[in-house]
Amino acid sequence: MRIALVSCRSSVKLAAAALGAALWFATTALPASAATVKEVADTYADIALATYEDATTRAKALKGAIEDLIATPSDSTLGAARTAWKAARVPYMQTEAFRFGNKIVDEWEGRVNAWPLDEGLIDYVDQGYGTASDSNPLYAANVIANKTLTVGGRKVDASAITKELLRSLQEAERIEANVATGYHAIEFLLWGQDLNGTGPGAGTRPATDYDPKRCTGGNCDRRIAYLRAAMDLLVEDLEEMVGNWKPGGAARKALAEPGIDPLAAIFKGLGSLSYGEMAGERMKLGLLLNDPEEEHDCFSDNTHNSHYYDVVGIENVYLGRYTRIDGTAITGASVSDLVKAKSSDIDDRVRKALAVTNARMTALKVRAETIEAYDQMIGEGNKEGNAVVESVIEALIAQTREFERAIAALELKSIEFEGSNSLDDPDKALRGKK
């Protein structure tokens, strides 16, 4: 994407009565038959572990498909790699509900899912992309084509494309659009740019970009090296996060640290993903700008699925269940159980709000798969498409308000949700894009 999205986040403070000096794992405030906070935290961690394990399994399958593409470049093997990439997104997007409430996850997430990216950093681009940007010195650096780079005023040896090189270029010069690793760097390498605007179609990178004997795009050997290095890093990063959620892992242990309220962490993740991240940055901003570049999986036209599985992930956490990629069900004590013990009416309201969001997001997903892609839906003048997207935004905001009620019912301390200028100050969001 040529426009670098600067995340303009504010904070939404949700005030609720303070719990005082009571321990967060205390159960005295709940009926004896209710789930305990510790049991809920354990289920939450178990679901996180299972989801990251599934994401790792799918990433390894993607790695295998990419090796097949490299060994035998063809439309068939490229198509299989693209299919594997989309399949890998299904479990990963369900992990996003663990982001904002867990520092370990939030600080790590940029390695694997940062977006949007200035693709000229990585590889060749269309002439319309341009050759320079006032905001990014590496806008068109083209690592694949150039064996020497200038980063931060110093020369960098890029003669060998390695994991270490890619890691050093991630957010180089402290610019978020310099995305060198993760799902979206790999997505760009599999699809290439989507040059269709609000018309139908995704990226159309040819398989011969990976065929040294019939090389298109130039530098096929270096492109292969980049794709392999990026894929190795993705698997390693996911394996690291699996370790963080295993018994004794850093993320799991952090939930039980003195002074940490696991319910606050859980709700911060649910509310921040619902409101600031999804409703705001990923959806409302695109509607405000009517910009086809403002979609999460922009090269592959897979945004509808990424949004959908984010919604599923939120439901998983609140309801305390997750269906693994092999069909196994992970279930346990849930946030819903705790809320219901305090107020069945409020729990019912939250569940209904989640169901509405799911239904509207499902309608968006069906539309994307049968009528038009997400980038077309947010296009200027597309009243029907815009309305479908807006209806999901409204549902996400409404479910956030129901999370507020649940927080108050549980008498939790004040929780700050991530906000978005796209929702809180649209004029400022638009000024930031001019």
Side-chain angles (χ1 to χ4, degrees):
M1 294 179 227
R2 298 195 295 276
I3 300 175
L5 173 62
V6 178
S7 181
C8 301
R9 289 174 176 165
S10 59
S11 294
V12 179
K13 281 196 173 184
L14 306 179
L19 189 58
L23 294 174
W24 294 117
F25 285 127
T27 61
T28 54
L30 298 171
S33 60
T36 66
V37 175
K38 183 180 185 306
E39 289 170 342
V40 171
D42 286 344
T43 299
Y44 175 76
D46 289 344
I47 291 173
L49 173 60
T51 315
Y52 282 113
E53 285 178 337
D54 284 351
T56 305
T57 297
R58 286 281 175 84
K60 289 178 178 178
L62 170 59
K63 182 177 179 178
I66 283 173
E67 287 301 323
D68 289 343
L69 166 65
I70 292 169
T72 312
S74 68
D75 290 345
S76 177
T77 54
L78 177 58
R82 289 172 173 175
T83 297
W85 186 90
K86 290 181 179 180
R89 296 292 281 168
V90 172
Y92 177 76
M93 295 311 294
Q94 292 176 73
T95 71
E96 291 222 293
F98 301 100
R99 275 186 58 191
F100 299 96
N102 297 281
K103 185 178 180 182
I104 289 172
V105 178
D106 208 25
E107 291 181 348
W108 164 93
E109 184 270 346
R111 296 190 222 161
V112 299
N113 198 43
W115 77 288
L117 57 85
D118 283 349
E119 55 262 49
L121 167 70
I122 298 174
D123 200 2
Y124 72 86
V125 289
D126 183 76
Q127 286 186 343
Y129 179 88
T131 59
S133 165
D134 292 338
S135 61
N136 186 5
L138 297 174
Y139 179 73
N142 195 343
V143 177
I144 287 172
N146 295 296
K147 296 182 179 181
T148 302
L149 306 172
T150 300
V151 181
R154 65 183 182 85
K155 295 291 184 181
V156 173
D157 180 8
S159 56
I161 298 180
T162 63
K163 294 185 293 183
E164 293 72 25
L165 174 66
L166 300 194
R167 189 74 86 197
S168 73
L169 293 173
Q170 182 72 1
E171 296 191 2
E173 305 206 18
R174 298 184 180 181
I175 296 173
E176 291 183 355
N178 286 331
V179 176
T181 68
Y183 287 101
H184 296 296
I186 295 167
E187 179 192 11
F188 170 56
L189 288 168
L190 291 178
W191 272 271
Q193 290 177 288
D194 180 352
L195 301 172
N196 300 293
T198 56
T204 58
R205 183 186 293 277
T208 46
D209 270 9
Y210 292 97
D211 187 346
K213 296 179 180 178
R214 300 181 296 150
C215 186
T216 50
N219 306 292
C220 284
D221 56 336
R222 289 176 61 81
R223 188 170 298 107
I224 288 169
Y226 196 117
L227 185 55
R228 276 181 164 150
M231 196 62 245
D232 286 345
L233 283 173
L234 178 61
V235 171
E236 290 173 13
D237 285 336
L238 289 168
E239 288 177 334
E240 176 186 324
M241 191 50 62
V242 168
N244 282 328
W245 287 103
K246 285 183 176 179
R252 189 182 287 257
K253 287 169 64 177
L255 291 174
E257 289 179 356
I260 297 298
D261 173 11
L263 292 184
I266 292 170
F267 272 110
K268 183 176 177 64
L270 296 177
S272 295
L273 181 57
S274 295
Y275 187 80
E277 189 69 11
M278 288 194 66
E281 298 302 319
R282 296 188 186 177
M283 300 188 77
K284 188 63 175 183
L285 184 61
L287 276 186
L288 290 173
L289 298 172
N290 298 123
D291 186 352
E293 297 279 309
E294 295 295 342
E295 58 166 340
H296 199 173
D297 296 357
C298 68
F299 308 114
S300 60
D301 275 355
N302 187 58
T303 298
H304 58 286
N305 279 319
S306 281
H307 286 353
Y308 174 79
Y309 286 106
D310 266 324
V311 166
V312 172
I314 292 169
E315 289 182 320
N316 291 345
V317 169
Y318 185 79
L319 299 175
R321 84 299 190 256
Y322 168 64
T323 301
R324 301 199 61 160
I325 57 177
D326 66 0
T328 303
I330 305 294
T331 60
S334 68
V335 180
S336 175
D337 293 335
L338 295 181
V339 175
K340 187 174 183 178
K342 287 288 189 176
S343 170
S344 59
D345 177 65
I346 291 176
D347 176 59
D348 187 56
R349 290 179 66 109
V350 176
R351 284 171 170 267
K352 286 180 178 177
L354 292 172
V356 169
T357 302
N358 189 308
R360 293 185 183 182
M361 188 64 86
T362 298
L364 185 152
K365 175 176 161 66
V366 170
R367 183 180 181 87
E369 293 171 350
T370 59
I371 299 175
E372 60 184 0
Y374 184 83
D375 55 1
Q376 296 173 270
M377 290 185 216
I378 61 175
E380 185 175 6
N382 185 350
K383 292 183 179 180
E384 186 174 340
N386 284 187
V388 171
V389 175
E390 185 65 52
S391 72
V392 177
I393 294 170
E394 291 171 355
L396 287 163
I397 294 171
Q399 80 178 27
T400 306
R401 301 308 174 214
E402 297 308 326
F403 289 147
E404 289 185 44
R405 294 179 189 273
I407 288 167
L410 293 173
E411 299 180 320
L412 300 180
K413 289 182 177 180
S414 297
I415 299 172
E416 290 188 3
F417 288 172
E418 294 287 325
S420 166
N421 284 333
S422 304
L423 298 174
D424 306 326
D425 191 348
D427 289 339
K428 185 175 181 179
L430 290 171
R431 287 196 302 272
K433 284 296 179 180
K434 291 180 180 179

